[in-house]
Amino acid sequence: MNPLDLVRAEPGPAFTVTLDGREVEALPGQTVAAALWTAGVTSWRTTRGEGRPRGIFCGIGVCFDCLVTVNDRPNQRACLVPLRPGDAIRTQEGTGHDE
Amino acid sequence: MSEPSLAVIGAGPAGLAATLAAAARGIRVTLIDSAPEAGGQFYRQPAPGLGARRPQALHHQWRTWERLRDRLRTHVRAGTVRHLTDHHVWFVERRGAARLTVHALTGPEQAEAAEVHADAVLLATGGYEKVLPFPGWTLPGVVTAGGAQAMLKGGLVLPGRTAVVAGTGPLLLPVATGLAAAGATVAALVDSADPAAFVRRSRALAARPDKVVEGAGYAGRLLRHRVRTFLHHTVVAAHGAERLEAVTVAALDRNGRVRPDTRRRLDCDTLAVGHGMLPHTDLADALGCRVDGTAVHVDDEQRTDVPGVWAAGETTGIGGSALSLAEGHIAGRSIAARLAGRTPDPASWAAAARTRERLRAFFAAVDSVYAPPAHWAEQVTDETVVCRCEEVPAGAVREAVRELGAGDLRTVKLLTRAGMGWCQGRVCGPGVAGIAGCEQSAGRRPFARPVPLGVLARAGESEESA
Ligand SMILES: Cc1cc2nc3c(=O)[nH]c(=O)nc-3n(C[C@H](O)[C@H](O)[C@H](O)COP(=O)(O)OP(=O)(O)OC[C@H]3O[C@@H](n4cnc5c(N)ncnc54)[C@H](O)[C@@H]3O)c2cc1C
Ligand code: FES
């Protein structure tokens, strides 16, 4: 059993986005975080101070742990931002402004 | 003159019940929520693009949701309710004597400003999960219990394959059974609460036989999914290099201290953890509403002490969806009467008021049973990060108290930067307070969301319009 089968989901056609240039498949309506989790990725940024990996924590937009760069906009909350075909996601280091 | 108008912030059970009650009584309602769909946390829906044909497989009380949803749709079609989705409210202000202005951010970058003017505002922004720190809690793979539930209900994804659900509180049960039903192996449910305490509080429980039955239903499902349950146990640490690989749990003694000889390691790639919930109070704070402890203060009509501002649901104290519905219903009726210039008759909501009273008593009992272990802070090593945003270790907080004499959260914050980062102390507040040994107060935050400077600069310019 998986969650899609459990609710008998018939999603619209999957599309591709990229994570640091690598192709990742996403389903319509999924957030950045949901698509990355499905692809087996659980961390997509490192902290400013110690460079520690981070991904989802609160899942509802409160904690800001899940920050990520989407289409060159840094510091987007991956748990809130829905994906669109062709979106370019980049893992983020520190503040996301130091490249 | 146009009909009186109400802005409801939050489309969870409380906001929906209030919207429907007020709209049915001739009030023009604008329902504002940051989510793309109505429902809030309890009735969180999968994105329409995912084409879920049986979303109720992840839900309880589906019929109630269907009724709320259908009535909302009818009102939206009739033009009596305007539903603004994807609107993040960052500030509510009073301009002049009677009108209130709700400021929201919208658009893909959340950089476009939107304003709603209304004669009354209902704060129904719910709550969020409280997590106390422990070594390893910042590892990817450690998520809040509610967060795992939200990702599952909304995105139809699981955080991993093998999960441990831990902490304390009633939310752990639906999370453990939800993850298991969706295909995760739930290796253990670990709750620090002592079930014997329930028996001692049987009066409050006896008042809610439905809740006891609900609990028994969860017990059956745990058994069916072969979830091992460790009661009076706690998570001591999470282990892993780049992501979670295992957790250590241990039994608690009668005083709430870890019994070191009982430590055991459980392999898992997910830890869903929570220690209860906290109300969202930022909008109330900025409006100057009285906040008692961590919850917005309301009277019997759900009015805050600021004229024109009501609050309902978990903003006013944690108590689950049924209580939120009752409070929202009362608030909606009260608002309709007050905006029409009448004094409402409490007899007209007597049934909802009884539900409210019983559920508040029930959750007061639940709260005292599901308290985090008394000595949890002893397990937090000096190296453990307590403020996730600013990466402040527990040692720094202890030093601020011991060497520098900090005696309250504000001073600790100024000395260590704990609570100064992105989340503005929402996540670390209870942890820092516990480690510093001072009281947890509702944090005073200027805005409920980060606001682009351009939006801030233009916020005062708009004309007073409908
Ligand atoms: C992550 C999470 C998952 C949960 N899952 C469950 C569960 O599965 N089962 C269960 O029994 N209980 C669950 N709960 C408990 C839940 O909070 C209550 O049962 C119930 O949903 C509370 O209803 P409410 O109307 O007070 O608030 P909520 O349902 O929390 O609704 C509040 C709404 O306000 C919106 N909002 C908040 N701030 C703003 C803002 N500034 N601007 C715009 N919109 C805003 C939110 O998007 C949300 O839709 C969960 C709680 C959390 C935090
Ligand atoms: S996970 Fe907390 S903000 Fe996204």
Side-chain angles (χ1 to χ4, degrees), chain A residues 55-66 77-79:
Chain A
I56 285 284
F57 184 59
C58 76
I60 60 166
V62 171
C63 75
F64 293 82
D65 253 28
C66 65
R77 280 169 285 176
C79 66

Side-chain angles (χ1 to χ4, degrees), chain B residues 397 401 406-420 425 428-445:
Chain B
V397 173
V401 173
D408 60 89
L409 265 192
R410 230 179 78 80
T411 314
V412 172
K413 174 172 162 176
L414 292 173
L415 289 171
T416 64
R417 298 195 58 80
M420 283 199 195
C428 69
V432 172
I435 284 165
C438 56
E439 198 143 317
Q440 206 221 324
S441 43
R444 295 255 152 207
R445 298 174 190 101

Side-chain angles (χ1 to χ4, degrees), chain B residues 187-416:
Chain B
L189 171 65
V190 181
D191 198 315
S192 60
D194 177 358
F198 263 130
V199 182
R200 289 199 292 276
R201 284 182 181 75
S202 53
R203 266 217 313 184
L205 289 177
R208 292 298 309 216
D210 54 327
K211 287 278 162 192
V212 177
V213 173
E214 195 179 305
Y218 282 124
R221 259 170 272 157
L222 290 173
L223 215 59
R224 200 158 65 240
H225 292 294
R226 297 176 199 287
V227 176
R228 272 190 301 173
T229 306
F230 295 97
L231 295 172
H232 221 205
H233 276 63
T234 190
V235 165
V236 177
H239 314 283
E242 291 298 296
R243 62 151 306 153
L244 181 71
E245 290 158 21
V247 297
T248 296
V249 303
L252 294 161
D253 69 15
R254 290 184 47 179
N255 301 317
R257 277 207 169 81
V258 165
R259 291 169 46 196
D261 52 315
T262 62
R263 282 170 197 260
R264 76 171 82 203
R265 200 178 151 105
L266 304 171
D267 287 337
C268 58
D269 57 16
T270 302
L271 173 62
V273 62
H275 296 105
M277 299 258 304
L278 287 168
H280 270 301
T281 54
D282 0 26
L283 295 173
D285 252 340
L287 272 161
C289 302
R290 175 173 150 201
V291 175
D292 288 341
T294 57
V296 178
H297 171 87
V298 286
D299 68 7
D300 284 349
E301 285 179 37
Q302 301 294 135
R303 286 181 300 179
T304 72
D305 61 347
V306 171
V309 181
W310 277 252
E314 297 202 313
T315 336
T316 70
I318 302 306
S321 62
L323 177 56
S324 297
L325 284 171
E327 291 190 356
H329 183 75
I330 293 169
R333 281 171 167 259
S334 158
I335 292 165
R338 296 276 172 197
L339 287 186
R342 285 184 288 110
T343 305
D345 174 13
S348 72
W349 61 64
R354 273 196 304 278
T355 304
R356 180 176 64 181
E357 195 181 325
R358 280 202 215 111
L359 283 174
R360 280 185 184 161
F362 176 77
F363 275 90
V366 164
D367 230 32
S368 58
V369 170
Y370 285 119
H375 297 278
W376 64 266
E378 289 171 13
Q379 299 303 315
V380 182
T381 58
D382 277 351
E383 298 74 40
T384 305
V385 164
V386 289
C387 167
R388 302 171 69 97
C389 301
E390 293 291 310
E391 294 177 87
V392 179
V397 173
R398 289 179 176 135
E399 192 181 82
V401 173
R402 208 172 39 226
E403 322 267 315
L404 307 169
D408 60 89
L409 265 192
R410 230 179 78 80
T411 314
V412 172
K413 174 172 162 176
L414 292 173
L415 289 171
T416 64

